[in-house]
Amino acid sequence: MTQTLTALERELLASVERLVTACESSAKELHALEKRSTSRIESKVNGLAHCVALLMKSHLTSVTTLADLLREEQNYDTLQAGLETSWKLAKEAGPVAV
C-alpha cells in the first residue's frame, strides 16, 4: 500500500535531494582542487630538490678545489677550472619561484 506524501514532505524531500546533489558536486570540485594542488606542490618540491642537489655539488666542488690548492695539488689552471665548474653549478640552480 503506497501512501502519498504531503506537500510539506514533498518539499522536504526535494530540499534533501538538492542538498545531496550540491554535496556531491562540492566533493567532486574539492577532489579536483586537491589533485591540482598536490601536483603543484610535488612540482615545486622536485624543483627545490634539484636546486639543492646542484648547490651541494657546487659547494663540494669548490671546497675540494680549495682543499687541493692548500695541499698544493693544484695549479692556477686547475683551480680556475674547478671554481668555474662550481660557479656554473650554482648558476644552474638559479632562483626558484616558490
Side-chain angles (χ1 to χ4, degrees):
M1 181 164 149
T2 60
Q3 285 183 307
T4 59
L5 300 174
T6 66
L8 184 58
E9 290 170 330
R10 283 192 301 274
E11 188 177 327
L12 181 59
L13 182 59
S15 294
V16 169
E17 287 174 346
R18 284 193 303 275
L19 182 59
V20 167
T21 301
C23 286
E24 288 171 345
S25 176
S26 280
K28 286 179 185 176
E29 289 178 23
L30 286 173
H31 180 69
L33 176 62
E34 177 188 18
K35 195 171 190 175
R36 286 192 309 272
S37 296
T38 301
S39 294
R40 284 159 114 192
I41 289 170
E42 286 176 352
S43 174
K44 298 283 183 184
V45 167
N46 289 340
L48 286 172
H50 178 69
C51 288
V52 168
L54 287 173
L55 290 173
M56 288 171 62
K57 286 178 185 177
S58 169
H59 180 73
L60 183 60
T61 301
S62 63
V63 168
T64 302
T65 300
L66 293 173
D68 288 348
L69 177 65
L70 292 174
R71 289 191 303 265
E72 297 179 352
E73 294 178 11
Q74 297 239 9
N75 60 34
Y76 179 77
D77 291 334
T78 56
L79 172 68
Q80 182 70 21
L83 293 177
E84 284 176 2
T85 299
S86 174
W87 177 241
K88 179 184 173 196
L89 289 167
K91 283 184 1 182
E92 283 179 28
V96 177
V98 179

